[in-house]
């Protein structure tokens, strides 16, 4: 899979893309990431990529021309704009992106982006949650990590990808490993019983309990 990133901060991505399973996926050729510096399409000696908003108001708006020039050669890819006003990112969206050969991630900055970019050069607008960041760079990294772990051969045990939170619409149950006692804190007896039917029933109940407590919205859907 190839992922193109359009940003005014290409350096932002260097170490996160070099380490962990993302770094491994790139080393093995499973993932090809290409960084595009938006400033190369900036206007004038200062390579300006933003301007004051028509109609007045605070903040700057990313201009249509640099983004148009950066996105035109990528017209045959799926183009995502990260913006706090987008549709919330979810596992279904990541699953869909992981099936693509070419994905382009556009990182918004400043107060916003000239709407004509979204209208003519973007396939979908995505947010990563109900809070405001300085720009879309962190969101693009979230997407890359979420997609990379779905690519064939990246995660050692494919079952852990299939049974995780959100796939079954529930949060995961609590997990424990050795030692069975630490500072007097034990492990639920059922997990050491060897009774696999009881263990599965306990896990299912814990998934439901957690979801009711932390994410009741997931049970309403
Ligand atoms: Cl994609 N961008 C910015 N600037 N803020 C956000 C966001 C994106 N998603 C949530 N907050």
């Amino acid at each position: 899979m190839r992922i193109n990133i359009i940003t005014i901060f290409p350096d932002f991505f260097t170490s996160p893309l070099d380490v962990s399973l993302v770094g491994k996926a790139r080393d093995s050729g499973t993932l090809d990431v290409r960084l595009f510096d938006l400033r190369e399409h900036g206007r004038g000696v200062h390579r300006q990529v933003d301007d004051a908003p028509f109609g007045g108001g605070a903040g700057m708006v990313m201009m249509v021309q640099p983004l148009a020039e950066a996105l035109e050669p990528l017209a045959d890819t799926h183009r995502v704009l990260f913006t706090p006003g987008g549709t919330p990112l979810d596992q279904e969206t990541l699953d869909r992106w992981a099936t693509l050969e070419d994905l382009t991630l556009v990182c918004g900055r400043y107060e916003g982006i000239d709407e004509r970019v979204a209208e003519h050069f973007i396939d979908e607008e995505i947010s990563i949650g109900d809070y405001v960041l300085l720009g879309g760079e962190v969101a693009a990294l979230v997407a890359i990590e979420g997609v990379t772990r779905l690519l064939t051969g990246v995660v050692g045990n494919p079952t852990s990808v299939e049974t995780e939170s959100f796939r079954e619409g529930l949060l995961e149950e609590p997990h424990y490993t050795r030692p069975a006692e630490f500072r007097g804190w034990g492990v639920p007896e059922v997990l050491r019983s060897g009774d696999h039917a009881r263990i599965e029933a306990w896990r299912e109940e814990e998934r439901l309990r957690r979801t009711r407590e932390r994410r009741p919205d997931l049970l309403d859907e």
Side-chain angles (χ1 to χ4, degrees), residues 81-87 106-110 125-140:
L81 171 64
F82 286 104
T83 163
T87 305
V106 182
C107 306
R109 277 269 153 180
Y110 307 103
E125 296 179 61
I126 295 289
S127 155
I128 58 163
D130 293 340
Y131 40 80
V132 179
L133 305 170
L134 292 173
E137 280 77 9
V138 168

Side-chain angles (χ1 to χ4, degrees), residues 6 17 35 38 42 46-47 53-55 133 139 144 148 170 174 176:
I6 297 176
L17 293 178
L35 285 161
L38 185 63
H46 295 108
R47 306 248 148 204
F54 275 120
L133 305 170
I144 291 167
T148 300
L170 295 176
Y176 298 89

Side-chain angles (χ1 to χ4, degrees), residues 9-205:
F9 295 121
D11 290 349
F12 188 95
F13 293 88
T14 45
S15 70
L17 293 178
D18 282 348
V19 299
S20 179
L21 289 179
V22 173
K24 264 196 182 164
R26 293 176 65 212
D27 288 342
S28 74
T30 301
L31 178 67
D32 178 13
V33 179
R34 307 211 168 170
L35 285 161
F36 295 86
D37 187 349
L38 185 63
R39 255 187 221 288
E40 290 181 10
H41 303 282
R43 190 178 57 192
V45 280
H46 295 108
R47 306 248 148 204
Q48 191 185 339
V49 296
D50 62 323
D51 207 340
F54 275 120
M60 299 288 270
V61 174
M62 289 180 94
M63 298 187 295
V64 63
Q65 165 257 314
L67 282 161
E69 286 180 19
L71 281 161
E72 252 155 6
L74 300 168
D76 57 346
T77 71
H78 186 70
R79 298 153 301 176
V80 176
L81 171 64
F82 286 104
T83 163
T87 305
L89 183 63
D90 60 12
Q91 190 61 49
E92 257 182 50
T93 307
L94 294 173
D95 292 349
R96 176 162 51 83
W97 290 350
T99 68
L100 302 173
E101 256 174 61
D102 265 287
L103 179 64
T104 295
L105 309 178
V106 182
C107 306
R109 277 269 153 180
Y110 307 103
E111 308 308 307
I113 287 192
D114 191 303
E115 188 61 22
R116 291 166 291 187
V117 175
E119 275 171 25
H120 299 285
F121 300 101
I122 292 296
D123 298 301
E124 60 183 324
E125 296 179 61
I126 295 289
S127 155
I128 58 163
D130 293 340
Y131 40 80
V132 179
L133 305 170
L134 292 173
E137 280 77 9
V138 168
L141 281 176
V142 166
I144 291 167
E145 229 183 270
V147 164
T148 300
R149 61 187 292 285
L150 299 175
L151 301 179
T152 310
V154 171
V155 170
N157 176 4
T159 319
S160 69
V161 168
E162 282 156 25
T163 64
E164 70 211 352
S165 293
F166 296 113
R167 287 225 179 268
E168 305 163 87
L170 295 176
L171 302 186
E172 281 193 31
E173 72 276 15
H175 306 291
Y176 298 89
T177 188
R178 286 178 291 189
E181 192 174 302
F182 177 73
R183 298 184 181 169
W185 306 319
V187 164
E189 178 277 327
V190 57
L191 295 179
R192 306 180 61 208
S193 68
D195 182 340
H196 293 290
R198 255 184 84 214
I199 291 170
E200 200 31 65
W202 179 86
R203 287 180 168 160
E204 180 65 22
E205 185 48 46

